[in-house]
């Protein structure tokens, strides 16, 4: 019988142990990679935004998306779309920087759409309108241009 072994985390869940680069792409086992974001961390909204901004500024939008994903999974129901929309923007930037222009543009637009209901309130000081404009502009640009530099394109989450 041919049994395929899967990497497992400490709790026994399947989790790929291959190192990853700053854009979340898997690298060969044993290669140096960037430290992965721990999963399931509950942060305050301010901590979430600060950590995600740090990662975006470092050119690691894939890792920022994981921070937003934690907020969307652990936060109040009425904020799920806010955090999910921010995660989609980060993944859209990730795909755009990896050269997947169609997927990147689609996720950037989807994230901007998810943020639309929050445009008037600007929760936690998030520049919702500015982020939506940034996402739509970047989506249009990546569809017709070269791969983008994630750090150079990192948005400002707050004003």
């Amino acid at each position: 019988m041919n049994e395929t072994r899967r990497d497992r985390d400490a709790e026994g869940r399947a989790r790929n142990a291959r190192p990853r680069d700053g854009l979340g792409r898997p690298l060969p086992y044993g290669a140096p990679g960037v430290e992965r974001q721990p999963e399931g961390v509950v942060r305050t909204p301010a901590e979430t935004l600060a950590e995600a901004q740090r990662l975006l500024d470092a050119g690691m939008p894939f890792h920022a998306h994981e921070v937003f994903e934690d907020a969307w999974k652990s936060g109040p129901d009425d904020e799920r779309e806010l955090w999910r929309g921010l995660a989609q923007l980060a993944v859209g930037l990730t795909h755009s920087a990896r050269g997947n222009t169609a997927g990147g543009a689609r996720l950037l637009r989807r994230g901007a759409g998810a943020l639309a209901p929050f445009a008037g309130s600007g929760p936690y000081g998030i520049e919702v309108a500015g982020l939506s404009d940034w996402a739509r502009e970047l989506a249009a640009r990546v569809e017709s241009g070269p791969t983008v530099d994630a750090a150079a394109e990192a948005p400002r989450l707050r004003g």
Side-chain angles (χ1 to χ4, degrees), residues 23-86:
L23 292 174
R25 291 176 291 220
L27 299 169
Y29 286 103
V34 300
E35 189 170 333
R36 295 176 80 157
Q37 284 298 116
E39 292 182 25
V41 177
V42 177
R43 299 173 181 88
T44 66
E47 291 168 336
T48 295
L49 292 166
E51 179 64 3
Q53 188 69 67
R54 181 187 73 76
L55 292 163
L56 288 167
D57 292 345
M60 298 192 315
F62 176 82
H63 302 281
H65 127 269
E66 292 179 331
V67 171
F68 289 133
E69 193 172 273
D70 284 340
W72 128 39
K73 290 179 178 178
S74 67
D77 287 343
D78 62 336
E79 293 181 2
R80 288 179 70 99
E81 283 302 300
L82 171 70
W83 301 112
R84 190 170 72 108
L86 292 169

Side-chain angles (χ1 to χ4, degrees), residues 5-42:
R5 294 186 49 102
R6 294 183 75 183
D7 296 330
R8 302 274 175 188
D9 66 12
E11 287 80 37
R13 292 181 302 239
R15 180 171 169 93
N16 192 318
R18 286 173 58 182
R20 301 214 174 230
D21 70 5
L23 292 174
R25 291 176 291 220
L27 299 169
Y29 286 103
V34 300
E35 189 170 333
R36 295 176 80 157
Q37 284 298 116
E39 292 182 25
V41 177
V42 177

Side-chain angles (χ1 to χ4, degrees), residues 96-110:
S96 298
R98 288 179 177 176
N100 176 2
T101 57
R106 186 172 33 256
L107 281 161
L108 288 163
R109 289 188 179 106
R110 189 178 300 156

